[in-house]
Amino acid sequence: MTIWESILLGIALCFDTLAVSATCSIKSRIPIQRGMLMALIFALFQGGFPLIGALIGTAAEQLVSSLDHWVAFGLLALVGGNMIRDAFSNKKEDDNFDISKFGVIITLAVATSIDAFVVGIGFGLHSAIHESLLTCLIIGIVTFIAAMIGQIIGRIKLPFNDRIATLIGGLVLIALGTKTLIEHLGILAN
């Protein structure tokens, strides 16, 4: 995976972090220190979960080496499709979250990083571990930036449509999965 693809993947995975950060900032005035801590925790989870997934994917590589491109495509399409479904769902965010509590920040970080874990399994199947490490680092950095931007959006009360952001993130994940499948099947080879 190229650096640009890693950045694009990080952006696609952190739309939910952006939305959660903006929502938390709108609902409660988060002090700068707490906001930076929240962004750091989100980044650690969002960057760490795909690494764990990649290690699992690497361990399973021998078992599924002939199907890895299908697995990567399937996982990315599944997560992307789920994000698209969420963009059109009418479920409400839980208003009972008190962002001043450390446990709530951890819960939100885990909730926004589960899709990154699944994606990590996919790229662990077809990437060397050092490539996965670089991708995870990039995902973490992009997530930190997105969480801080979300807090700024919330503080200055900019209009932000999390449904559109989630839809775009889902479409990007499906596009990355499709690209992986096309490359491995040799379609459109140079």
Side-chain angles (χ1 to χ4, degrees), residues 1-2 5 69 126 176-189:
M1 186 174 285
T2 67
E5 289 172 332
H69 51 282
H126 65 81
L176 286 171
T178 302
K179 179 186 178 291
T180 298
L181 186 62
I182 288 171
E183 286 177 350
H184 280 74
L185 294 178
I187 301 170
L188 303 173

Side-chain angles (χ1 to χ4, degrees), residues 67-90:
L67 301 172
D68 63 348
H69 51 282
W70 286 104
V71 172
F73 168 75
L75 291 172
L76 286 166
L78 180 70
V79 172
N82 190 41
M83 288 176 75
I84 291 169
R85 187 195 71 211
D86 287 349
F88 292 107
S89 111
N90 288 325

Side-chain angles (χ1 to χ4, degrees), residues 16 20 33 41-42 44 46 48 53 58 94 121 135 146 151 173 188:
D16 53 354
V20 167
Q33 299 85 350
I41 291 171
F42 277 31
L44 290 173
Q46 193 85 309
T58 301
D94 186 0
I121 292 172
T135 299
Q151 291 175 46
L173 290 179
L188 303 173

Side-chain angles (χ1 to χ4, degrees), residues 30-122:
I30 303 170
I32 293 294
Q33 299 85 350
R34 178 62 83 176
M36 290 184 76
L37 176 65
M38 184 174 85
L40 180 62
I41 291 171
F42 277 31
L44 290 173
F45 277 77
Q46 193 85 309
F49 271 37
L51 181 59
I52 295 167
L55 293 172
I56 291 170
T58 301
E61 184 177 18
Q62 296 298 326
L63 299 173
V64 293
S65 61
S66 63
L67 301 172
D68 63 348
H69 51 282
W70 286 104
V71 172
F73 168 75
L75 291 172
L76 286 166
L78 180 70
V79 172
N82 190 41
M83 288 176 75
I84 291 169
R85 187 195 71 211
D86 287 349
F88 292 107
S89 111
N90 288 325
K91 67 180 180 180
K92 299 282 185 195
E93 294 291 324
D94 186 0
D95 290 333
N96 296 326
F97 277 130
D98 179 4
I99 198 61
S100 65
K101 296 180 181 174
F102 186 73
V104 171
I105 294 173
I106 296 293
T107 301
L108 292 172
V110 169
T112 58
S113 300
I114 291 172
D115 54 349
F117 171 76
V118 175
V119 168
I121 292 172

Side-chain angles (χ1 to χ4, degrees), residues 9 11 23 27 36 40 50 59 75 90 93 107 119 125 128-129 143 154 160 165 174 177 182 185 190:
L9 178 62
I11 291 169
T23 302
K27 289 183 180 181
M36 290 184 76
L40 180 62
L75 291 172
N90 288 325
E93 294 291 324
T107 301
V119 168
L125 290 172
I129 197 67
T143 301
F160 175 77
I174 290 171
I182 288 171
L185 294 178
N190 294 336

Side-chain angles (χ1 to χ4, degrees), residues 1 51 55 58 127-137:
M1 186 174 285
L51 181 59
L55 293 172
T58 301
S127 298
I129 197 67
H130 70 279
E131 291 172 352
S132 297
L133 282 170
L134 179 60
T135 299
C136 292
L137 178 64

